[in-house]
Amino acid sequence: MKVKIKKINRDGMARLETEGEIKEVIIKEEFLYPSDETIALCFRGQDSSGIVELKTEEFEDIYKNIRKRLHLIKGFKKIVD
């Protein structure tokens, strides 16, 4: 996984690029507030690590977009559950 971040601070624009491997996926469930559920992708690289948190709506949108374009990936094998 590659992560590219651009952030504007008072010194100007800072760019950060890193890559790593997704080590864990955490689903945080809120029993009192079901709309506040999040999916966290935890990654670790050689010199960096981090967590990308997505709301369930964001994750569902990404999944729908990928599902539409899955046939475009060459050499893709579907694993039957």
Side-chain angles (χ1 to χ4, degrees), residues 17-66:
E17 291 186 29
T18 186
E19 57 184 88
E21 186 177 319
I22 295 177
K23 294 290 187 179
E24 189 174 359
V25 177
I26 301 171
I27 300 174
K28 293 182 184 177
E29 294 180 291
E30 296 287 337
F31 293 113
L32 297 176
Y33 305 102
S35 62
D36 292 341
E37 292 178 335
T38 59
I39 297 169
L41 304 174
C42 306
F43 68 92
R44 182 165 188 80
Q46 184 176 356
D47 297 324
S48 61
S49 63
I51 299 173
V52 177
E53 284 193 15
L54 302 167
K55 291 183 179 182
T56 52
E57 296 86 17
E58 293 171 325
F59 184 79
E60 287 171 358
D61 289 342
I62 291 170
Y63 176 72
K64 286 178 190 175
N65 285 323
I66 290 173

Short mmCIF file of all heavy atoms in Angstrom, two decimals, residues 17-66:
data_model
loop_
_atom_site.label_atom_id
_atom_site.label_comp_id
_atom_site.label_asym_id
_atom_site.label_seq_id
_atom_site.Cartn_x
_atom_site.Cartn_y
_atom_site.Cartn_z
N GLU A 17 5.26 10.82 1.41
CA GLU A 17 4.96 9.58 0.70
C GLU A 17 5.59 8.44 1.48
O GLU A 17 6.74 8.52 1.89
CB GLU A 17 5.52 9.59 -0.72
CG GLU A 17 4.83 10.56 -1.64
CD GLU A 17 5.32 10.45 -3.06
OE1 GLU A 17 5.74 9.34 -3.46
OE2 GLU A 17 5.28 11.46 -3.77
N THR A 18 4.84 7.39 1.66
CA THR A 18 5.35 6.22 2.35
C THR A 18 4.64 4.99 1.80
O THR A 18 3.59 5.09 1.19
CB THR A 18 5.18 6.33 3.87
OG1 THR A 18 5.82 5.22 4.50
CG2 THR A 18 3.72 6.36 4.28
N GLU A 19 5.23 3.86 2.01
CA GLU A 19 4.57 2.63 1.61
C GLU A 19 4.78 1.58 2.68
O GLU A 19 5.75 1.63 3.43
CB GLU A 19 5.04 2.13 0.25
CG GLU A 19 6.51 1.90 0.07
CD GLU A 19 6.82 1.50 -1.34
OE1 GLU A 19 7.05 2.38 -2.18
OE2 GLU A 19 6.83 0.28 -1.60
N GLY A 20 3.84 0.68 2.75
CA GLY A 20 3.89 -0.36 3.76
C GLY A 20 2.90 -1.45 3.44
O GLY A 20 2.25 -1.45 2.40
N GLU A 21 2.78 -2.35 4.34
CA GLU A 21 1.91 -3.51 4.18
C GLU A 21 0.77 -3.41 5.19
O GLU A 21 1.01 -3.05 6.35
CB GLU A 21 2.74 -4.77 4.45
CG GLU A 21 2.04 -6.05 4.18
CD GLU A 21 2.98 -7.24 4.41
OE1 GLU A 21 4.16 -7.16 4.03
OE2 GLU A 21 2.52 -8.22 5.00
N ILE A 22 -0.43 -3.69 4.75
CA ILE A 22 -1.57 -3.68 5.67
C ILE A 22 -1.43 -4.87 6.60
O ILE A 22 -1.36 -6.01 6.16
CB ILE A 22 -2.91 -3.72 4.92
CG1 ILE A 22 -3.07 -2.44 4.10
CG2 ILE A 22 -4.07 -3.87 5.90
CD1 ILE A 22 -4.32 -2.39 3.27
N LYS A 23 -1.34 -4.60 7.88
CA LYS A 23 -1.13 -5.64 8.88
C LYS A 23 -2.42 -6.08 9.56
O LYS A 23 -2.55 -7.22 9.98
CB LYS A 23 -0.14 -5.16 9.96
CG LYS A 23 1.24 -4.92 9.45
CD LYS A 23 1.90 -6.22 9.09
CE LYS A 23 3.35 -6.02 8.73
NZ LYS A 23 4.02 -7.26 8.40
N GLU A 24 -3.37 -5.14 9.69
CA GLU A 24 -4.58 -5.46 10.44
C GLU A 24 -5.73 -4.56 9.98
O GLU A 24 -5.51 -3.42 9.60
CB GLU A 24 -4.31 -5.24 11.93
CG GLU A 24 -5.40 -5.73 12.84
CD GLU A 24 -5.02 -5.61 14.31
OE1 GLU A 24 -3.89 -5.16 14.63
OE2 GLU A 24 -5.86 -5.97 15.14
N VAL A 25 -6.92 -5.10 10.01
CA VAL A 25 -8.13 -4.33 9.74
C VAL A 25 -8.98 -4.39 10.99
O VAL A 25 -9.30 -5.48 11.48
CB VAL A 25 -8.91 -4.90 8.53
CG1 VAL A 25 -10.20 -4.13 8.32
CG2 VAL A 25 -8.06 -4.86 7.28
N ILE A 26 -9.30 -3.22 11.54
CA ILE A 26 -10.07 -3.16 12.79
C ILE A 26 -11.42 -2.51 12.49
O ILE A 26 -11.47 -1.45 11.87
CB ILE A 26 -9.33 -2.33 13.86
CG1 ILE A 26 -7.97 -2.95 14.16
CG2 ILE A 26 -10.16 -2.22 15.13
CD1 ILE A 26 -7.08 -2.09 15.03
N ILE A 27 -12.47 -3.14 12.93
CA ILE A 27 -13.81 -2.58 12.79
C ILE A 27 -14.27 -2.16 14.18
O ILE A 27 -14.42 -2.98 15.07
CB ILE A 27 -14.79 -3.60 12.18
CG1 ILE A 27 -14.30 -4.01 10.79
CG2 ILE A 27 -16.20 -3.02 12.12
CD1 ILE A 27 -15.10 -5.11 10.15
N LYS A 28 -14.43 -0.84 14.34
CA LYS A 28 -14.88 -0.30 15.62
C LYS A 28 -16.39 -0.16 15.58
O LYS A 28 -16.93 0.58 14.77
CB LYS A 28 -14.25 1.06 15.88
CG LYS A 28 -12.76 1.03 16.09
CD LYS A 28 -12.27 2.42 16.39
CE LYS A 28 -10.77 2.46 16.52
NZ LYS A 28 -10.29 3.83 16.75
N GLU A 29 -17.06 -0.86 16.46
CA GLU A 29 -18.51 -0.80 16.52
C GLU A 29 -18.94 0.04 17.72
O GLU A 29 -18.42 -0.14 18.82
CB GLU A 29 -19.09 -2.20 16.66
CG GLU A 29 -18.85 -3.08 15.45
CD GLU A 29 -19.44 -4.45 15.62
OE1 GLU A 29 -18.92 -5.20 16.46
OE2 GLU A 29 -20.42 -4.74 14.93
N GLU A 30 -19.86 0.93 17.50
CA GLU A 30 -20.43 1.74 18.57
C GLU A 30 -21.86 1.26 18.81
O GLU A 30 -22.72 1.39 17.95
CB GLU A 30 -20.44 3.22 18.17
CG GLU A 30 -19.07 3.82 17.98
CD GLU A 30 -18.33 4.04 19.28
OE1 GLU A 30 -19.00 4.14 20.34
OE2 GLU A 30 -17.11 4.08 19.25
N PHE A 31 -22.09 0.67 19.97
CA PHE A 31 -23.41 0.14 20.27
C PHE A 31 -24.44 1.25 20.50
O PHE A 31 -25.58 1.14 20.09
CB PHE A 31 -23.36 -0.78 21.50
CG PHE A 31 -22.57 -2.03 21.24
CD1 PHE A 31 -21.37 -2.25 21.90
CD2 PHE A 31 -23.02 -2.98 20.34
CE1 PHE A 31 -20.63 -3.40 21.66
CE2 PHE A 31 -22.30 -4.13 20.10
CZ PHE A 31 -21.10 -4.34 20.75
N LEU A 32 -24.02 2.32 21.14
CA LEU A 32 -24.95 3.42 21.41
C LEU A 32 -25.18 4.30 20.18
O LEU A 32 -26.26 4.86 20.01
CB LEU A 32 -24.44 4.27 22.58
CG LEU A 32 -24.33 3.54 23.91
CD1 LEU A 32 -23.73 4.46 24.96
CD2 LEU A 32 -25.69 3.05 24.37
N TYR A 33 -24.15 4.45 19.34
CA TYR A 33 -24.24 5.30 18.16
C TYR A 33 -23.81 4.49 16.93
O TYR A 33 -22.66 4.57 16.50
CB TYR A 33 -23.35 6.54 18.31
CG TYR A 33 -23.63 7.32 19.56
CD1 TYR A 33 -22.80 7.22 20.68
CD2 TYR A 33 -24.75 8.14 19.64
CE1 TYR A 33 -23.07 7.94 21.84
CE2 TYR A 33 -25.02 8.86 20.79
CZ TYR A 33 -24.18 8.76 21.88
OH TYR A 33 -24.45 9.46 23.03
N PRO A 34 -24.72 3.71 16.35
CA PRO A 34 -24.34 2.85 15.22
C PRO A 34 -23.83 3.61 14.00
O PRO A 34 -23.09 3.07 13.20
CB PRO A 34 -25.63 2.11 14.88
CG PRO A 34 -26.56 2.32 16.01
CD PRO A 34 -26.09 3.53 16.74
N SER A 35 -24.20 4.87 13.85
CA SER A 35 -23.74 5.65 12.70
C SER A 35 -22.27 6.06 12.83
O SER A 35 -21.67 6.53 11.87
CB SER A 35 -24.61 6.88 12.51
OG SER A 35 -24.52 7.72 13.64
N ASP A 36 -21.67 5.88 14.01
CA ASP A 36 -20.27 6.26 14.25
C ASP A 36 -19.29 5.10 14.07
O ASP A 36 -18.15 5.20 14.51
CB ASP A 36 -20.11 6.85 15.65
CG ASP A 36 -20.80 8.19 15.80
OD1 ASP A 36 -21.09 8.82 14.77
OD2 ASP A 36 -21.05 8.60 16.94
N GLU A 37 -19.72 4.01 13.43
CA GLU A 37 -18.82 2.88 13.22
C GLU A 37 -17.72 3.27 12.24
O GLU A 37 -17.95 4.03 11.31
CB GLU A 37 -19.58 1.68 12.66
CG GLU A 37 -20.56 1.08 13.63
CD GLU A 37 -21.32 -0.07 13.02
OE1 GLU A 37 -21.47 -0.12 11.80
OE2 GLU A 37 -21.78 -0.91 13.79
N THR A 38 -16.51 2.75 12.46
CA THR A 38 -15.39 3.04 11.57
C THR A 38 -14.64 1.76 11.25
O THR A 38 -14.68 0.78 11.98
CB THR A 38 -14.41 4.04 12.20
OG1 THR A 38 -13.91 3.51 13.43
CG2 THR A 38 -15.05 5.39 12.45
N ILE A 39 -13.94 1.80 10.12
CA ILE A 39 -13.07 0.71 9.70
C ILE A 39 -11.66 1.28 9.65
O ILE A 39 -11.42 2.29 8.98
CB ILE A 39 -13.51 0.17 8.33
CG1 ILE A 39 -14.92 -0.40 8.44
CG2 ILE A 39 -12.53 -0.88 7.83
CD1 ILE A 39 -15.56 -0.73 7.13
N ALA A 40 -10.74 0.68 10.37
CA ALA A 40 -9.37 1.17 10.44
C ALA A 40 -8.44 0.20 9.73
O ALA A 40 -8.47 -1.01 10.00
CB ALA A 40 -8.93 1.33 11.89
N LEU A 41 -7.65 0.73 8.79
CA LEU A 41 -6.63 -0.05 8.10
C LEU A 41 -5.29 0.29 8.72
O LEU A 41 -4.82 1.42 8.60
CB LEU A 41 -6.62 0.29 6.60
CG LEU A 41 -7.93 0.14 5.85
CD1 LEU A 41 -7.78 0.66 4.44
CD2 LEU A 41 -8.37 -1.31 5.86
N CYS A 42 -4.68 -0.66 9.39
CA CYS A 42 -3.41 -0.44 10.07
C CYS A 42 -2.28 -0.93 9.17
O CYS A 42 -2.32 -2.07 8.70
CB CYS A 42 -3.37 -1.19 11.40
SG CYS A 42 -4.76 -0.81 12.47
N PHE A 43 -1.30 -0.06 8.90
CA PHE A 43 -0.21 -0.45 8.03
C PHE A 43 1.13 -0.19 8.68
O PHE A 43 1.25 0.61 9.60
CB PHE A 43 -0.30 0.26 6.67
CG PHE A 43 -0.07 1.74 6.73
CD1 PHE A 43 1.19 2.27 6.54
CD2 PHE A 43 -1.12 2.61 6.96
CE1 PHE A 43 1.41 3.64 6.58
CE2 PHE A 43 -0.92 3.97 7.00
CZ PHE A 43 0.35 4.49 6.81
N ARG A 44 2.15 -0.92 8.20
CA ARG A 44 3.50 -0.77 8.72
C ARG A 44 4.47 -0.93 7.56
O ARG A 44 4.40 -1.87 6.79
CB ARG A 44 3.79 -1.80 9.78
CG ARG A 44 5.15 -1.67 10.41
CD ARG A 44 5.22 -2.49 11.69
NE ARG A 44 6.44 -2.24 12.40
CZ ARG A 44 6.66 -1.19 13.18
NH1 ARG A 44 5.73 -0.30 13.35
NH2 ARG A 44 7.79 -1.04 13.81
N GLY A 45 5.39 0.03 7.46
CA GLY A 45 6.45 -0.01 6.46
C GLY A 45 7.79 -0.17 7.15
O GLY A 45 7.86 -0.44 8.36
N GLN A 46 8.85 0.02 6.38
CA GLN A 46 10.18 -0.11 6.96
C GLN A 46 10.46 0.98 7.98
O GLN A 46 10.97 0.71 9.06
CB GLN A 46 11.23 -0.07 5.85
CG GLN A 46 12.63 -0.31 6.34
CD GLN A 46 13.63 -0.35 5.21
OE1 GLN A 46 13.25 -0.27 4.05
NE2 GLN A 46 14.88 -0.48 5.55
N ASP A 47 10.12 2.23 7.64
CA ASP A 47 10.40 3.35 8.54
C ASP A 47 9.14 4.09 8.98
O ASP A 47 9.23 5.18 9.55
CB ASP A 47 11.33 4.36 7.85
CG ASP A 47 12.68 3.75 7.52
OD1 ASP A 47 13.16 2.94 8.33
OD2 ASP A 47 13.24 4.08 6.46
N SER A 48 7.97 3.55 8.67
CA SER A 48 6.74 4.27 8.99
C SER A 48 5.62 3.30 9.31
O SER A 48 5.68 2.12 8.98
CB SER A 48 6.34 5.16 7.81
OG SER A 48 6.10 4.35 6.68
N SER A 49 4.61 3.84 9.95
CA SER A 49 3.40 3.07 10.22
C SER A 49 2.27 4.06 10.39
O SER A 49 2.48 5.25 10.58
CB SER A 49 3.56 2.20 11.47
OG SER A 49 3.75 3.03 12.61
N GLY A 50 1.05 3.56 10.31
CA GLY A 50 -0.07 4.47 10.47
C GLY A 50 -1.40 3.74 10.42
O GLY A 50 -1.47 2.53 10.23
N ILE A 51 -2.44 4.51 10.58
CA ILE A 51 -3.81 4.00 10.57
C ILE A 51 -4.64 4.91 9.67
O ILE A 51 -4.59 6.13 9.80
CB ILE A 51 -4.41 3.98 11.99
CG1 ILE A 51 -3.60 3.07 12.90
CG2 ILE A 51 -5.87 3.53 11.94
CD1 ILE A 51 -4.02 3.12 14.36
N VAL A 52 -5.38 4.29 8.75
CA VAL A 52 -6.32 5.02 7.91
C VAL A 52 -7.71 4.62 8.38
O VAL A 52 -8.08 3.45 8.33
CB VAL A 52 -6.14 4.66 6.42
CG1 VAL A 52 -7.17 5.37 5.56
CG2 VAL A 52 -4.73 4.99 5.96
N GLU A 53 -8.47 5.60 8.89
CA GLU A 53 -9.83 5.32 9.38
C GLU A 53 -10.85 5.78 8.37
O GLU A 53 -10.77 6.89 7.85
CB GLU A 53 -10.07 6.03 10.72
CG GLU A 53 -9.41 5.36 11.88
CD GLU A 53 -9.91 5.88 13.21
OE1 GLU A 53 -10.95 6.56 13.26
OE2 GLU A 53 -9.24 5.61 14.22
N LEU A 54 -11.81 4.92 8.08
CA LEU A 54 -12.88 5.21 7.14
C LEU A 54 -14.22 5.02 7.83
O LEU A 54 -14.39 4.08 8.61
CB LEU A 54 -12.82 4.27 5.93
CG LEU A 54 -11.54 4.25 5.12
CD1 LEU A 54 -11.55 3.06 4.18
CD2 LEU A 54 -11.41 5.53 4.35
N LYS A 55 -15.18 5.88 7.52
CA LYS A 55 -16.54 5.65 7.98
C LYS A 55 -17.12 4.53 7.12
O LYS A 55 -16.65 4.28 6.01
CB LYS A 55 -17.38 6.91 7.82
CG LYS A 55 -16.97 8.01 8.76
CD LYS A 55 -17.89 9.19 8.61
CE LYS A 55 -17.48 10.29 9.57
NZ LYS A 55 -18.38 11.43 9.49
N THR A 56 -18.14 3.87 7.61
CA THR A 56 -18.71 2.75 6.86
C THR A 56 -19.26 3.21 5.51
O THR A 56 -19.16 2.48 4.52
CB THR A 56 -19.82 2.05 7.67
OG1 THR A 56 -20.76 3.01 8.12
CG2 THR A 56 -19.25 1.31 8.85
N GLU A 57 -19.81 4.42 5.44
CA GLU A 57 -20.33 4.93 4.17
C GLU A 57 -19.21 5.12 3.16
O GLU A 57 -19.35 4.80 1.98
CB GLU A 57 -21.07 6.27 4.37
CG GLU A 57 -22.30 6.18 5.24
CD GLU A 57 -21.99 6.30 6.73
OE1 GLU A 57 -20.88 6.76 7.09
OE2 GLU A 57 -22.86 5.91 7.52
N GLU A 58 -18.06 5.63 3.61
CA GLU A 58 -16.92 5.81 2.73
C GLU A 58 -16.42 4.47 2.21
O GLU A 58 -16.12 4.31 1.03
CB GLU A 58 -15.78 6.52 3.46
CG GLU A 58 -16.08 7.95 3.84
CD GLU A 58 -15.04 8.56 4.75
OE1 GLU A 58 -14.48 7.84 5.61
OE2 GLU A 58 -14.79 9.76 4.59
N PHE A 59 -16.35 3.49 3.11
CA PHE A 59 -15.88 2.16 2.71
C PHE A 59 -16.84 1.52 1.71
O PHE A 59 -16.40 0.92 0.73
CB PHE A 59 -15.74 1.27 3.95
CG PHE A 59 -15.19 -0.09 3.63
CD1 PHE A 59 -13.84 -0.26 3.43
CD2 PHE A 59 -16.03 -1.19 3.53
CE1 PHE A 59 -13.32 -1.50 3.12
CE2 PHE A 59 -15.52 -2.43 3.23
CZ PHE A 59 -14.17 -2.60 3.02
N GLU A 60 -18.14 1.69 1.92
CA GLU A 60 -19.13 1.13 0.99
C GLU A 60 -19.02 1.78 -0.38
O GLU A 60 -19.14 1.10 -1.41
CB GLU A 60 -20.53 1.29 1.55
CG GLU A 60 -20.81 0.35 2.71
CD GLU A 60 -22.13 0.64 3.41
OE1 GLU A 60 -22.83 1.59 3.04
OE2 GLU A 60 -22.44 -0.11 4.36
N ASP A 61 -18.78 3.09 -0.43
CA ASP A 61 -18.59 3.77 -1.71
C ASP A 61 -17.36 3.25 -2.45
O ASP A 61 -17.40 3.02 -3.66
CB ASP A 61 -18.47 5.28 -1.51
CG ASP A 61 -19.78 5.93 -1.11
OD1 ASP A 61 -20.84 5.30 -1.31
OD2 ASP A 61 -19.73 7.07 -0.59
N ILE A 62 -16.27 3.06 -1.73
CA ILE A 62 -15.05 2.52 -2.33
C ILE A 62 -15.31 1.11 -2.85
O ILE A 62 -14.92 0.77 -3.97
CB ILE A 62 -13.90 2.52 -1.31
CG1 ILE A 62 -13.47 3.96 -1.01
CG2 ILE A 62 -12.71 1.72 -1.82
CD1 ILE A 62 -12.51 4.09 0.14
N TYR A 63 -15.99 0.30 -2.07
CA TYR A 63 -16.29 -1.07 -2.47
C TYR A 63 -17.14 -1.11 -3.74
O TYR A 63 -16.88 -1.90 -4.65
CB TYR A 63 -16.99 -1.81 -1.33
CG TYR A 63 -17.41 -3.21 -1.70
CD1 TYR A 63 -16.45 -4.21 -1.85
CD2 TYR A 63 -18.73 -3.53 -1.92
CE1 TYR A 63 -16.82 -5.49 -2.20
CE2 TYR A 63 -19.11 -4.80 -2.27
CZ TYR A 63 -18.16 -5.78 -2.42
OH TYR A 63 -18.53 -7.04 -2.78
N LYS A 64 -18.15 -0.24 -3.82
CA LYS A 64 -19.01 -0.19 -5.01
C LYS A 64 -18.20 0.19 -6.25
O LYS A 64 -18.38 -0.39 -7.32
CB LYS A 64 -20.15 0.81 -4.81
CG LYS A 64 -21.21 0.31 -3.86
CD LYS A 64 -22.28 1.39 -3.66
CE LYS A 64 -23.23 1.01 -2.55
NZ LYS A 64 -24.19 2.10 -2.26
N ASN A 65 -17.32 1.18 -6.12
CA ASN A 65 -16.50 1.59 -7.25
C ASN A 65 -15.54 0.51 -7.70
O ASN A 65 -15.34 0.29 -8.90
CB ASN A 65 -15.73 2.87 -6.92
CG ASN A 65 -16.61 4.09 -6.93
OD1 ASN A 65 -17.52 4.19 -7.75
ND2 ASN A 65 -16.37 5.00 -6.01
N ILE A 66 -14.92 -0.18 -6.76
CA ILE A 66 -13.99 -1.26 -7.11
C ILE A 66 -14.75 -2.42 -7.74
O ILE A 66 -14.28 -3.01 -8.72
CB ILE A 66 -13.21 -1.72 -5.86
CG1 ILE A 66 -12.25 -0.63 -5.42
CG2 ILE A 66 -12.46 -3.02 -6.13
CD1 ILE A 66 -11.55 -0.90 -4.12
#
